[in-house]
Amino acid sequence: MPTMESESSIVSRAEELKSSANEAFKAHKYSQAIDLYSQAIELNDQNAVYWANRAFAHTKLEEYGSAIHDATKAVETDPKYSKGYYRRGAAYLAMGKFKEALKDFQQVKRICPNDPDAAKKLKECEKAVMKLKFEEAIAVPVAQRRSVADSIDYRSIEVEPQYSGASIEGDTVTLEFVKKMLEDFKNQKCLHKRYAFQIVLQTRELLRTLPSLVDINVPDGKNFTVCGDVHGQFYDLLNIFELNGLPSEDNPYLFNGDFVDRGSFSLEVILTLFAFKCMCPSAMYLARGNHESRSMNKIYGFEGEVRSKLSETFVELFAEVFCCLPLAHVINQKVFVVHGGLFSVDGVKLSDIRAIERFCEPPEEGLMCEVLWSDPQPNLGRGPSKRGVGLSFGPDITKRFLQDNNLDLLVRSHEVKDEGYEIDHDGKLITVFSAPNYCDQMGNKGALIRFEAPELKPNIVTFSAVSHPDVKPMAYANNFLRMFS
């Protein structure tokens, strides 16, 4: 049995670890903070503060499933600890689970009836739930929805004589137009609605014809570049093109999902990628990420940004076009590229992915959900997702999938990495993330991968963030979520 003295030294050691974890958290070193809080919890798992603090660190890494688990532990340990409910409510909120969040903020208010901050957040949460109920009540069933794209005639939209921005002559998007548009965006000028409609509608036509899994052929001696999440960081996107050249027939790119949300220049990013797709379809390949969805865009800023810079019609149009994005790509029958990861069942073949009916909002389970949401784990087998959606898959799962489909490498994105990339699963899996200093606070580098045929050996290039105009990330996000940013 431990003596009183050894018990007190364990408690004080746990407190030291918590203090170190708090320092790491303040320095935005969230993974390090999680490790230190975990060590404190191992020594003393009856301290609700440790659980709630670790939950907060998980939230910062977008690991909302783990955050909910830890916050639940905090309130089980001490049912009167308001921060436990607060952290869990914030994590539910980030997942768009407003009704569950509301229950937790009601509990915070009960425990702290005189806390003005708790009252304010509860009121905002109540408003969000009311809005959700209203939207559900007036929603048209999916089967009866008419395509907004079919109702738009961009040619009938007048361009005012005083408009001096980038213009498309006729039906063809040219390099000259794209360069002028990029220059205008750089100077925070808007593109005329007529041309924005034209780009988005032409992109929709191109994407609709593609299968859910696209085969890419790179001729011998030619390069192909894969980029990860950009998340509305337009000025970092320009930097990628500065470092690696503009997209062209000879310099093709694949952007692997999560083009929008969080960063406050998401509209500029998506119009740029779509314009290159229109200019030369084989210069720009685009995959769907988990943020190319209505539910994410509603919370994380893209919907608000589009409404602010363009119109409600564009909100609907982008939601429609995002449902046309392919889910995966295979380069030269060797490299499998997908936004999230692998599957909860063995034996999935490329033909199964090609057969996915993708023209819908992402479901909460099944192959399409897993492609967009899953993450690798170091342990063998499969585990629950730290995000609360999808799953975690180990090196054996990666190896088996690659063997079953006669592939060499899995490339995915979806997770911020300090160096902009990470190689896992015995070198068979690479995560690439292309939004440096993510959300203006993570301090990470960005990365891209250049493959040269026929070897397709990954050549990873890293880069740092560049400055951008003083518009903060999440500037257009759901008002309630911004209160937690």
Side-chain angles (χ1 to χ4, degrees):
M1 266 182 73
T3 63
M4 290 286 285
E5 192 180 339
S6 69
E7 265 181 36
S8 95
S9 72
I10 286 169
V11 168
S12 66
R13 174 67 187 135
E15 278 296 300
E16 282 171 24
L17 286 162
K18 181 197 83 169
S19 298
S20 300
N22 290 351
E23 289 304 312
F25 186 96
K26 281 181 204 158
H28 305 303
K29 293 178 177 171
Y30 303 117
S31 297
Q32 190 184 335
I34 287 167
D35 288 343
L36 290 161
Y37 288 131
S38 300
Q39 290 174 46
I41 288 166
E42 274 177 37
L43 291 174
N44 178 12
D45 64 1
Q46 293 307 299
N47 189 319
V49 177
Y50 302 168
W51 290 107
N53 284 11
R54 192 170 77 174
F56 196 18
H58 278 302
T59 299
K60 288 291 190 182
L61 290 178
E62 300 171 28
E63 296 169 354
Y64 303 121
S66 298
I68 288 164
H69 169 271
D70 282 0
T72 302
K73 282 287 201 183
V75 299
E76 285 170 358
T77 305
D78 181 356
K80 290 194 168 60
Y81 184 54
S82 64
K83 266 195 181 165
Y85 299 101
Y86 187 96
R87 298 284 179 239
R88 189 169 67 184
Y92 276 134
L93 184 71
M95 293 177 75
K97 297 188 173 182
F98 294 111
K99 290 168 189 170
E100 290 89 337
L102 180 60
K103 288 179 193 162
D104 278 329
F105 288 112
Q106 285 167 337
Q107 191 62 27
V108 173
K109 186 78 169 70
R110 276 186 215 110
I111 297 168
C112 313
N114 302 318
D115 181 345
D117 186 55
K120 188 177 166 192
K121 288 191 167 64
L122 176 60
K123 196 173 174 188
E124 281 292 336
C125 199
E126 285 168 343
K127 276 188 347 202
V129 170
M130 287 295 289
K131 187 168 178 249
L132 197 67
K133 282 181 179 166
F134 176 71
E135 284 171 355
E136 283 170 359
I138 63 165
V140 179
V142 174
Q144 293 170 28
R145 273 188 207 154
R146 291 183 52 216
S147 164
V148 70
D150 295 340
S151 68
I152 298 162
D153 175 16
Y154 68 83
R155 289 181 179 87
S156 68
I157 300 170
E158 287 287 319
V159 179
E160 303 76 9
Q162 65 268 34
Y163 175 72
S164 61
S167 303
I168 302 171
E169 300 297 327
D171 293 334
T172 310
V173 174
T174 62
L175 179 59
E176 187 185 11
F177 161 78
V178 178
K179 283 180 174 174
K180 169 74 172 130
M181 183 184 76
L182 295 188
E183 198 55 38
D184 288 350
F185 284 165
K186 199 172 166 183
N187 297 316
Q188 292 187 276
K189 291 180 185 169
C190 294
L191 180 67
H192 197 281
K193 281 181 188 177
R194 176 194 165 111
Y195 306 124
F197 272 130
Q198 187 171 346
I199 287 166
V200 180
L201 289 166
Q202 282 187 16
T203 303
R204 175 177 174 265
E205 290 310 305
L206 290 165
L207 296 175
R208 281 170 77 188
T209 64
L210 298 172
S212 292
L213 182 148
V214 176
D215 287 293
I216 297 169
N217 179 45
V218 185
D220 286 1
K222 296 289 185 183
N223 284 302
F224 189 86
T225 301
V226 178
C227 294
D229 305 34
V230 182
H231 274 302
Q233 295 185 200
F234 174 70
Y235 294 83
D236 292 306
L237 176 64
L238 287 183
N239 187 43
I240 288 172
F241 295 148
E242 193 73 33
L243 295 169
N244 195 59
L246 289 174
S248 69
E249 189 82 60
D250 281 337
N251 192 35
Y253 283 80
L254 163 57
F255 280 83
N256 196 28
D258 283 13
F259 323 121
V260 301
D261 280 340
R262 296 192 179 274
S264 296
F265 303 95
S266 291
L267 181 63
E268 288 80 358
V269 166
I270 198 67
L271 286 176
T272 297
L273 298 178
F274 280 6
F276 277 117
K277 184 72 183 167
C278 294
M279 181 195 87
C280 178
S282 60
M284 178 62 70
Y285 294 86
L286 300 166
R288 194 173 192 174
N290 61 305
H291 276 267
E292 278 70 53
S293 70
R294 208 181 272 269
S295 59
M296 292 287 112
N297 297 164
K298 205 176 276 298
I299 303 171
Y300 289 98
F302 184 59
E303 186 177 297
E305 184 182 341
V306 171
R307 198 175 280 125
S308 167
K309 292 178 181 177
L310 286 171
S311 70
E312 186 64 42
T313 307
F314 273 98
V315 170
E316 291 303 310
L317 182 59
F318 276 115
E320 235 173 70
V321 178
F322 286 165
C323 291
C324 301
L325 287 161
L327 302 176
H329 292 78
V330 174
I331 307 169
N332 287 10
Q333 302 176 338
K334 287 184 177 181
V335 181
F336 180 69
V337 190
V338 71
H339 179 72
L342 296 181
F343 310 101
S344 53
V345 291
D346 287 333
V348 174
K349 291 289 202 290
L350 296 182
S351 55
D352 298 320
I353 302 164
R354 206 172 269 113
I356 294 172
E357 283 290 333
R358 73 177 189 279
F359 296 95
C360 60
E361 289 300 316
E364 291 194 6
E365 57 184 18
L367 297 188
M368 181 168 167
C369 168
E370 289 160 4
V371 147
L372 299 175
W373 281 96
S374 294
D375 294 293
Q377 65 178 26
N379 311 332
L380 294 173
R382 296 177 173 92
S385 166
K386 56 196 175 188
R387 297 172 190 271
V389 192
L391 68 140
S392 296
F393 59 96
D396 52 330
I397 307 301
T398 298
K399 185 180 177 185
R400 197 174 309 139
F401 174 80
L402 294 175
Q403 279 175 347
D404 286 351
N405 289 285
N406 201 21
L407 297 160
D408 296 342
L409 180 68
L410 164 59
V411 173
R412 43 87 62 180
S413 304
H414 196 38
E415 284 181 288
V416 61
K417 297 294 179 187
D418 287 345
E419 292 303 314
Y421 74 97
E422 193 165 272
I423 302 172
D424 291 298
H425 293 186
D426 308 313
K428 293 289 182 189
L429 181 148
I430 305 177
T431 299
V432 60
F433 191 85
S434 304
N437 195 24
Y438 181 44
C439 292
D440 282 1
Q441 61 163 292
M442 297 298 280
N444 60 292
K445 286 181 178 161
L448 55 84
I449 309 176
R450 277 173 74 86
F451 292 97
E452 188 178 335
E455 287 84 12
L456 294 193
K457 187 172 157 289
N459 176 24
I460 299 169
V461 178
T462 64
F463 49 91
S464 298
V466 295
S467 61
H468 62 76
D470 189 21
V471 185
K472 299 280 183 284
M474 304 287 276
Y476 299 94
N478 179 292
N479 184 36
F480 194 27
L481 200 66
R482 279 211 306 278
M483 296 167 84
F484 293 86
S485 296

